[in-house]
Amino acid sequence: EAGVTQFPSHSVIEKGQTVTLRCDPISGHDNLYWYRRVMGKEIKFLLHFVKESKQDESGMPNNRFLAERTGGTYSTLKVQPAELEDSGVYFCASSQDMSYRNTGELFFGEGSRLTVL
Amino acid sequence: EDQVTQSPEALRLQEGESSSLNCSYTVSGLRGLFWYRQDPGKGPEFLFTLYSAGEEKEKERLKATLTKKESFLHITAPKPEDSATYLCAVQGDTGGFKTIFGAGTRLFVKA
């Protein structure tokens, strides 16, 4: 079974440019999350999709970030225009249906490293 | 605000030298506390979920325990392949399904 895949693995762009990151979750996983780790800091939540709906986007830094999940399959995270502080590793994770006793098991991709110059 | 603090930041052990990693947490209503392992250039890999104080989980040389304020990850007779960053994380029952991560403990095991 294929795991969570992310593309690109590394992107280097100039300040002011646009970058789109893509995540393909594990097939059948309705829940998709985006997280980010900036240099030296902990991994931080950005947002949560349930199928194609945004369940929680409280972690999105500002309106330069736009996440979509058309059709409830893959997701994209667009940063436009990119700023220096957006540099970091963007992780996507997916999980099966939630239940009250959520196992908490998130399946992570390998991340997309973004460098803004 | 939900918060996770891990210590030490880095730990160097000799092969076979047992030790423990600490995770202190503050959360409004614990839904679950999680341990993940992360290798360089990879995403976090799930290890355990603990739900309530007194609970313990084991996997090979790893054992996770939970109190009302802390969790410990005990590593018994570690091997070089146990070298990785170990992440502790929590979910509270008021924050949706977002997971709050600590900064991690980098473990180095020397042969």
Side-chain angles (χ1 to χ4, degrees), chain A:
Chain A
E1 179 183 299
V4 176
T5 56
Q6 294 188 242
F7 181 84
S9 57
H10 192 188
S11 181
V12 181
I13 60 173
E14 301 269 337
K15 175 183 172 181
Q17 290 185 320
T18 297
V19 64
T20 300
L21 311 178
R22 172 171 169 143
C23 169
D24 287 77
I26 292 172
S27 177
H29 281 193
D30 288 339
N31 296 278
L32 186 149
Y33 305 81
W34 284 98
Y35 285 83
R36 176 174 75 168
R37 184 170 203 162
V38 296
M39 183 70 73
K41 301 286 188 180
E42 62 275 15
I43 295 172
K44 286 198 169 179
F45 170 84
L46 295 178
L47 88 159
H48 170 206
F49 283 100
V50 177
K51 297 184 180 180
E52 67 275 11
S53 299
K54 290 178 185 175
Q55 185 78 9
D56 181 354
E57 52 184 331
S58 62
M60 295 287 264
N62 51 61
N63 60 10
R64 295 185 294 102
F65 289 75
L66 176 63
E68 295 180 323
R69 192 182 182 194
T70 306
T73 55
Y74 72 91
S75 175
T76 58
L77 179 64
K78 180 189 287 187
V79 184
Q80 179 182 32
E83 298 288 346
L84 299 179
E85 63 265 24
D86 301 333
S87 295
V89 181
Y90 291 76
F91 290 103
C92 176
S94 70
S95 70
Q96 293 179 322
D97 289 343
M98 292 301 175
S99 63
Y100 180 74
R101 287 302 292 259
N102 170 27
T103 66
E105 182 170 7
L106 294 175
F107 296 84
F108 280 84
E110 296 193 345
S112 291
R113 180 176 295 277
L114 173 64
T115 302
V116 183
L117 302 176

Side-chain angles (χ1 to χ4, degrees), chain B:
Chain B
E1 183 180 326
D2 299 346
Q3 193 170 356
V4 176
T5 303
Q6 294 188 246
S7 62
E9 289 185 11
L11 181 62
R12 296 180 184 276
L13 300 174
Q14 288 292 127
E15 183 173 5
E17 180 186 1
S18 301
S19 187
S20 296
L21 313 182
N22 176 263
C23 170
S24 298
Y25 66 92
T26 304
V27 65
S28 53
L30 181 68
R31 180 182 286 148
L33 182 141
F34 318 112
W35 283 97
Y36 284 81
R37 169 189 170 131
Q38 186 174 21
D39 292 297
K42 304 290 186 181
E45 178 184 351
F46 175 80
L47 293 173
F48 305 110
T49 301
L50 301 167
Y51 295 105
S52 56
E55 191 173 358
E56 299 182 350
K57 293 273 180 73
E58 285 189 68
K59 180 179 181 179
E60 296 181 356
R61 295 177 292 282
L62 301 177
K63 179 180 177 180
T65 62
L66 181 64
T67 73
K68 289 187 177 180
K69 294 182 179 180
E70 294 177 304
S71 177
F72 293 92
L73 185 65
H74 307 278
I75 303 176
T76 302
K79 299 182 177 182
E81 54 262 42
D82 294 323
S83 298
T85 295
Y86 290 86
L87 301 169
C88 176
V90 298
Q91 274 189 17
D93 60 12
T94 59
F97 286 95
K98 71 175 71 169
T99 301
I100 308 300
F101 283 85
T105 293
R106 287 175 292 130
L107 175 66
F108 304 90
V109 182
K110 187 176 179 181

